[in-house]
Amino acid sequence: MDQDSPVLFGRRGAVATATLNLPKALNALNLEMIELLSRQLDDWADDDSVACVWIDGSGDKGLCAGGDVVSLYRESPAYGEKPDYDFTTRFFSREYRLDYRIHTYEKPIVVWGGGIVMGGGIGIVAGASHRIATETTRMAMPEVTIGLFPDVGGSWFLNRMPGRLGLFLGLTGAQFNGSDALFAGLADRMLPNERRESVLTELAGLEFFADSKRNREQVSNCLKRLELPQDERPPSILREHYDQVQNLTDFATLPDVCQAIRSYDGDDKWLQKAAATLAAGSPLTPWIVWEQLERGRYLSLAEVFRMELALAVNLCASGHVREGVRALLIDKDRKPQWQPASLDEVSAEQVEACFSEPWAENPLADL
């Protein structure tokens, strides 16, 4: 195995393993990683000797900090420049195709979600049949900070969280832990972070069958036996703040919701940070979040990814994402010059244009 490969593949008996392997970049997903993992999942799907798939991240800091937004910066135009859809269409269509493949994979997929799991990393986790959080898990969909939106199926999984937690997390990019992931439906089990290797060994020692349904049950029973006791888990921030989040988002219009969140003046550090992130973030993203969740409420999973593909490509082509990434990661001045500059300057026509497909046929039409 090439240890320099951005994804490492291996076998533990009937368990096939994939390790995202860019630890210095917190395993941020680039196009090569997406394509390597996609091809390998296809091969394993047809390999009768593979009963289960295991996905984790190299190093001890986390599974994946998100997509490779620096490449999006390089390949996207600035405000006012000629739109370019080529690279971003290729990147996002392949990433979303991989996410959809994980959601619909017949064989059990176990994803170890310890440490940092954000953005595109949540896309890898969300669709797996067995999603493991640990006491070190830190999740977020922080796209409001760079002028993107909670994609990789966010329109699907944010809509399925209790109450309006999904709306709040999409608007604010607020971080949440492993107990929160269980509460919000983004994890199935919490296991001790230090036991990653021994859990994989336990899975590899299971008796597997030709029937994927029976194998899923085997994996579920194994992981349940190894769970972290309730009294050793961190408290759930989302559960503790549930009523407050409901009150802050209990308005009929987006401007009223944003005003309520930004105006929070209490002593709670988590809510303070959420308010500050929303206030400093893209003025366009909240409108996209509001609309994507409304439109995505009754869409199929495939329709969700097709809608999000148009959104992602259009936001990159507009110069919006390039400016957000510039301010956060390139120049690091944290002073994005957003266009439009404020929430009330965003028109309904601008929002609608983001949902408009820029191709004759959606590249994910075959999902």
Side-chain angles (χ1 to χ4, degrees), residues 11 36 62 104 120 128 138 147 150 168 179 197 212 265 282-285 309 313 338 349:
R11 287 290 296 272
L36 285 170
T104 57
R138 285 171 50 212
F168 182 85
S179 297
E197 181 61 30
S212 289
D265 60 357
S282 157
L284 178 56
T285 294
L309 180 59
V313 169
W338 301 114
E349 291 75 21

Side-chain angles (χ1 to χ4, degrees), residues 199-247:
V199 171
L200 179 53
T201 299
E202 291 256 5
L203 287 174
L206 294 176
E207 178 187 359
F208 286 107
F209 307 94
D211 182 352
S212 289
K213 183 175 183 294
R214 290 181 70 188
N215 290 338
R216 285 179 180 234
E217 294 168 356
Q218 286 281 85
V219 172
S220 294
N221 291 335
C222 175
L223 297 177
K224 185 175 182 179
R225 288 196 306 271
L226 303 173
E227 266 198 305
L228 196 65
Q230 288 282 351
D231 60 0
E232 295 180 25
R233 302 179 187 184
S236 169
I237 301 168
L238 296 184
R239 190 186 293 271
E240 290 178 355
H241 289 82
Y242 182 79
D243 290 339
Q244 287 172 291
V245 167
Q246 295 308 104
N247 289 333

Side-chain angles (χ1 to χ4, degrees), residues 84-132:
D84 183 359
Y85 301 97
D86 291 346
F87 175 81
T88 50
T89 295
R90 192 162 72 253
F91 180 91
F92 286 111
S93 63
R94 293 180 186 180
E95 182 183 19
Y96 297 173
R97 190 176 290 277
L98 168 62
D99 295 334
Y100 183 82
R101 183 75 162 118
I102 292 171
H103 272 273
T104 57
Y105 209 69
E106 183 178 358
K107 297 177 180 180
I109 295 181
V110 180
V111 179
W112 186 270
I116 296 171
V117 186
M118 298 185 183
I122 291 184
I124 298 293
V125 170
S129 60
H130 298 80
R131 303 163 300 176
I132 298 173

Side-chain angles (χ1 to χ4, degrees), residues 284-304:
L284 178 56
T285 294
W287 288 102
I288 299 298
V289 173
W290 183 267
E291 190 68 19
Q292 77 172 112
L293 294 183
E294 182 61 34
R295 296 189 186 203
R297 195 174 301 277
Y298 302 110
L299 295 182
S300 69
L301 181 63
E303 289 168 335
V304 158

Side-chain angles (χ1 to χ4, degrees), residues 143-326:
E143 289 80 5
V144 67
T145 60
I146 61 166
L148 200 54
F149 68 101
D151 63 333
V152 295
S155 314
W156 179 267
F157 58 75
L158 292 177
N159 258 331
R160 284 160 175 75
M161 290 182 177
R164 289 181 292 276
L165 286 179
L167 173 63
F168 182 85
L169 294 175
L171 291 175
T172 66
Q175 290 190 16
F176 52 100
N177 64 29
S179 297
D180 296 322
L182 290 170
F183 180 63
L186 276 177
D188 304 298
R189 299 288 174 194
M190 180 176 285
L191 275 63
N193 196 64
E194 64 183 15
R195 293 205 59 197
R196 171 166 45 166
E197 181 61 30
S198 64
V199 171
L200 179 53
T201 299
E202 291 256 5
L203 287 174
L206 294 176
E207 178 187 359
F208 286 107
F209 307 94
D211 182 352
S212 289
K213 183 175 183 294
R214 290 181 70 188
N215 290 338
R216 285 179 180 234
E217 294 168 356
Q218 286 281 85
V219 172
S220 294
N221 291 335
C222 175
L223 297 177
K224 185 175 182 179
R225 288 196 306 271
L226 303 173
E227 266 198 305
L228 196 65
Q230 288 282 351
D231 60 0
E232 295 180 25
R233 302 179 187 184
S236 169
I237 301 168
L238 296 184
R239 190 186 293 271
E240 290 178 355
H241 289 82
Y242 182 79
D243 290 339
Q244 287 172 291
V245 167
Q246 295 308 104
N247 289 333
L248 290 171
T249 55
D250 189 16
F251 298 92
T253 70
L254 173 71
D256 287 340
V257 170
C258 289
Q259 176 63 23
I261 295 172
R262 290 194 307 247
S263 298
Y264 173 77
D265 60 357
D267 297 328
D268 189 286
K269 301 295 185 186
W270 187 75
L271 289 175
Q272 286 175 353
K273 187 172 183 181
T277 302
L278 173 59
S282 157
L284 178 56
T285 294
W287 288 102
I288 299 298
V289 173
W290 183 267
E291 190 68 19
Q292 77 172 112
L293 294 183
E294 182 61 34
R295 296 189 186 203
R297 195 174 301 277
Y298 302 110
L299 295 182
S300 69
L301 181 63
E303 289 168 335
V304 158
F305 280 118
R306 287 193 281 269
M307 177 183 73
E308 291 185 0
L309 180 59
L311 283 171
V313 169
N314 283 327
L315 282 167
C316 287
S318 72
H320 205 65
V321 174
R322 181 181 172 91
E323 176 58 17
V325 176
R326 178 207 65 75

